[in-house]
Amino acid sequence: MSHELQADKGWRVWWKLTRPHTLTASFAPVFLGTMIALYYTNINWLLFLAMLVACLFIQAATNMFNEYYDFARGLDSEESVGIGGAIVRNGVKPKTVMQLALLLYGLAGLLGIYICYKSSWMLLVVGAACMLIGYLYTGGPYPIAYTPFGEFFSGVVMGMLIVLIATFIQVGSVPNFAILLSIPSALLVAAIMLSNNIRDLEEDTKGGRKTMAILVGRKNAINILASYFIISYLWILGLVLLQIITPWSLLIILSIKKPLHAIKLFREKDNPLEVAPAMKDTALTNTIFVFLLGIGLLIGYFL
């Protein structure tokens, strides 16, 4: 491992291998779910930390499975755009990537056992299902990422389920309040995947993928992405107007420049390198929106 680290110019290659811009998709839902739980019980912060780290490990491992199988199927090349491609560009051994992914899964599993011990063993089934979906996203004979259902599965698992599990391990149940607030989280995680597929539309078409962006076309895919953003903001506004959540939740408005810029850039540019900032803004929309929603709930709880 140390020889590879030197050959691959240090820790930056390994850091990029985790695809750090996607890791916030793990932090934000855990934080939101915990802030929801605050309204029902005292928070066990050690449990919160275990959940957060486990989710980060699963997300990083999923990204490494993606790296491995994209290489194995010949989809990555030295000309590929994006922060993937550590195998073809930096000489990281495919076997090492798979071993790291499995190691992270193992560590997440150990944390999962602790979480189950402190909450409910029923979560073993849910956690195992989430980890299986993470692997099947790009692994197995029919990878989810190569189908029109990639956004759906990533949104439900990484956006919605993480919020609900983070609430459940603290409260011992899943309040309707948590389900309502998990909807925009799911949409914004799905948006990250969709923005990635819009950028990679041409390359994915050559690789034989059948993503939603390919099936509906670039223009319609951008419109769908915009609808994810619009629904997310209007959803929270609606919950505030119905007095279901605190008005402080409208702090999410502070994040609105990011999705506006992302959509504008996607509509004006189609070169994969030029739209990379739009992908970044989409990921930041998820992080900032969900984090501000959690902060709003926290302020509303104390006021």
Side-chain angles (χ1 to χ4, degrees), residues 233 249-259 288-289 292:
Y233 284 91
S249 301
L250 294 179
L251 282 172
I252 59 165
I253 299 300
L254 296 176
S255 66
I256 204 163
K257 286 181 65 176
K258 295 298 181 183
I288 300 171
F289 180 107
L292 288 174

Side-chain angles (χ1 to χ4, degrees), residues 45 62 105 117 119 124 140 162 177 187 194 226 228 235 241 292:
W45 293 106
T62 299
Y105 254 32
Y117 172 73
S119 56
L124 272 181
I162 290 183
F177 186 54
L187 288 172
L194 181 55
Y228 286 170
W235 188 270
L241 292 176
L292 288 174

Side-chain angles (χ1 to χ4, degrees), residues 104-243:
L104 290 174
Y105 254 32
L107 294 173
L110 291 175
L111 288 169
I113 291 173
Y114 168 75
I115 292 169
C116 290
Y117 172 73
K118 299 296 288 185
S119 56
S120 169
W121 292 104
M122 181 182 68
L123 288 179
L124 272 181
V125 177
V126 179
C130 290
M131 293 174 75
L132 179 62
I133 291 172
Y135 171 77
L136 293 176
Y137 194 75
T138 47
Y142 304 105
I144 297 169
Y146 301 178
T147 74
F149 306 109
E151 287 82 4
F152 173 79
F153 278 96
S154 59
V156 169
V157 174
M158 297 305 296
M160 177 177 282
L161 277 181
I162 290 183
V163 173
L164 301 183
I165 294 172
T167 303
F168 177 84
I169 62 175
Q170 302 286 348
V171 180
S173 63
V174 180
N176 291 333
F177 186 54
I179 297 174
L180 288 172
L181 289 177
S182 70
I183 300 296
S185 176
L187 288 172
L188 293 176
V189 170
I192 297 174
M193 301 304 116
L194 181 55
S195 69
N196 182 77
N197 289 336
I198 293 172
R199 182 200 66 180
D200 295 340
L201 197 149
E202 184 176 340
E203 191 173 318
D204 285 348
T205 302
K206 293 177 182 177
R209 295 189 180 191
K210 298 294 182 184
T211 64
M212 180 168 65
I214 291 173
L215 293 183
V216 304
R218 193 175 191 277
K219 182 178 179 181
N220 288 330
I222 295 171
N223 288 336
I224 292 172
L225 179 64
S227 73
Y228 286 170
F229 293 139
I230 293 168
I231 293 170
S232 296
Y233 284 91
L234 290 181
W235 188 270
I236 297 303
L237 176 60
L239 293 179
V240 169
L241 292 176
L242 292 172
Q243 298 184 337

Side-chain angles (χ1 to χ4, degrees), residues 246-277:
T246 171
W248 284 102
S249 301
L250 294 179
L251 282 172
I252 59 165
I253 299 300
L254 296 176
S255 66
I256 204 163
K257 286 181 65 176
K258 295 298 181 183
L260 290 176
H261 181 257
I263 296 300
K264 182 175 183 290
L265 190 55
F266 271 128
R267 285 177 173 160
E268 292 177 350
K269 309 287 185 181
D270 58 9
N271 181 282
L273 283 174
E274 291 180 317
V275 300

